[in-house]
Amino acid sequence: MDKKIRFPGADGLFSFLTAGAHNAWLAAIIRSSNDAIISKKIDGSITSWNPAAERMLGYTEEEMLGESIRKIIPDHLQKEEDEIVASIKAGNPVEHFETERIHKNGKSVAISVYVSPILDEHEKVVGASTIARDLSKEIENRRRIEESEFRFRMLADNISQFCWVADSTGHIFWYNKRWFDYTGTTPEEMDGWGWKSVHHPDHVDRVVEKIQHSWDTGEDWEDTFPLRSKDGEYRWFLSRAKPIYDTDGNIVRWFGTNTDITEERERQEQIRFLMREVNHRSKNMLALIQGIARQTGKKEHPEFIRKFEQRLQALAASQDLLTNMGWRGMTIDDLLDSQLGHLADLKDIQIFSEGEEIRINAHCAQNLGMALHELSTNASKYGALSTDEGKVYVNWSLEHRDGEDAPRLRINWHEEGGPPVTEPDHKGFGTTVINQMCRSAFSGEVTLDYRPEGLFWELVGSPGRGLDLTYEEDQA
């Protein structure tokens, strides 16, 4: 493309804007342009100055016509004008470059400049045309972007986690500095699926299958696996990724993190070891108590010893379950299974249970477990489970009442189809367990009704009492 401007005769070089309809049209374009358009002679004297130049640099056309272009060039950039003049005299345009010019108020204005030679009809260079664009807003935007990018990198590269970004298909194209510091890899090595090279071979196929499912479905991803360091050591990481959507609801990116949980896993394992040891010792103590009781009263009170041993076994079963759950409580369903395990063959035949997944804390689990054990024992000996036709129904739910911040636990046990029920003349320790102990543990109300058609027992706790609410928070 020819970037030289030609005019008919040097004498009419700067009068073309008013010469004829064509030149009038060009003049209108120049005056309406948002870019500053300035023409000058070879000696640098200004011959045209459009309104955009006035807006950009503050000088009017009257103030600048005949003035040297060097008037608006900072002292430290005067050499730049010498180079422009040399290029123009040689007939060569000066391609776009960024520089500064001086506003009338003395402030510096950032601009981009393109300069092309003007030739007369004899192909002689007689001047130059300069097109300048104000870069102030663009440079401010660049500064903000650079500052934003700096803040992001400062955050991303200095958090304790690894973080990464993938495109909509799961192709990972960016990791933070922590990742590369730990793995000792390069961006080229990690591009796309390169991350598989630092995964433990025993886990990588499982990880790939699970994360690919998230890529395909858009579901949040979470997994735990070991990653190899640059020293060859494997450490465990909890890893998560979430999809990022555009305004149309389409996934455009995935943002993921890897959190080192090695020490936490080791602490949890140590805690589990200690809990197992405590559980072992406490069960030894229960066994010792059971042995002492057996030796002391087996002749005089054989029925007492039998019941006492059963209750110790029920307590031990609850304790085993709590130990396996880290003493963080348990679901009612699990508790029911532990206490009615000896009746497992009657489940869904004579014993029916139904309820939502509700977790109760460790203290209340032990008391409720003892109550369920007493109820099942009595049902087996005297109640619905003492016959083949009898049925036991266990139901539980959360009850929400107006004005209460937390729900109440409601659980009931009712029997039918067994022998007719009458209220016993004597109420022993079993009644205390299913009545007073549960009432105290849950700060609630217990109903024990000896209905002729079958025993009915119900517990309604106080708001939030006995519920393991911290479990849901920890999982979140």
Side-chain angles (χ1 to χ4, degrees), residues 397-410 460-469 473:
S397 62
L398 292 178
E399 183 178 282
H400 299 267
R401 298 183 182 179
D402 293 341
E404 294 181 351
D405 295 334
R408 298 168 178 258
L409 171 65
R410 178 184 291 273
V460 180
S462 294
R465 183 71 174 185
L467 303 179
D468 187 9
L469 302 177
E473 296 172 1

Side-chain angles (χ1 to χ4, degrees), residues 372-406:
L372 292 172
H373 170 77
E374 291 296 328
L375 289 167
S376 65
T377 299
N378 290 337
S380 298
K381 292 178 63 176
Y382 316 112
L385 300 182
S386 66
T387 68
D388 293 338
E389 294 77 22
K391 302 287 191 296
V392 171
Y393 298 91
V394 187
N395 300 282
W396 61 90
S397 62
L398 292 178
E399 183 178 282
H400 299 267
R401 298 183 182 179
D402 293 341
E404 294 181 351
D405 295 334

Side-chain angles (χ1 to χ4, degrees), residues 42 101 218 245 296 308 318 346 360 402 405:
I42 290 297
R101 292 296 181 260
Y245 297 89
T296 303
F308 184 70
S318 294
L346 300 181
I360 55 177
D402 293 341
D405 295 334

Side-chain angles (χ1 to χ4, degrees), residues 208-273:
V208 169
E209 180 179 359
K210 190 170 182 179
I211 200 170
Q212 185 63 57
H213 175 75
S214 290
W215 300 154
D216 295 339
T217 63
E219 298 175 4
D220 288 3
W221 173 69
E222 180 175 316
D223 206 347
T224 303
F225 45 76
L227 293 174
R228 188 184 69 243
S229 73
K230 59 186 176 184
D231 300 323
E233 173 194 11
Y234 281 95
R235 295 182 65 83
W236 283 86
F237 289 83
L238 171 63
S239 301
R240 295 186 174 106
K242 294 183 70 67
I244 308 300
Y245 297 89
D246 62 14
T247 54
D248 296 325
N250 300 311
I251 296 176
V252 292
R253 292 288 187 272
W254 286 85
F255 180 75
T257 59
N258 307 91
T259 305
D260 191 335
I261 58 169
T262 305
E263 282 78 13
E264 180 63 22
R265 281 173 62 91
E266 292 173 352
R267 283 194 295 271
Q268 291 298 327
E269 183 57 37
Q270 181 67 13
I271 291 172
R272 283 191 290 269
F273 172 79

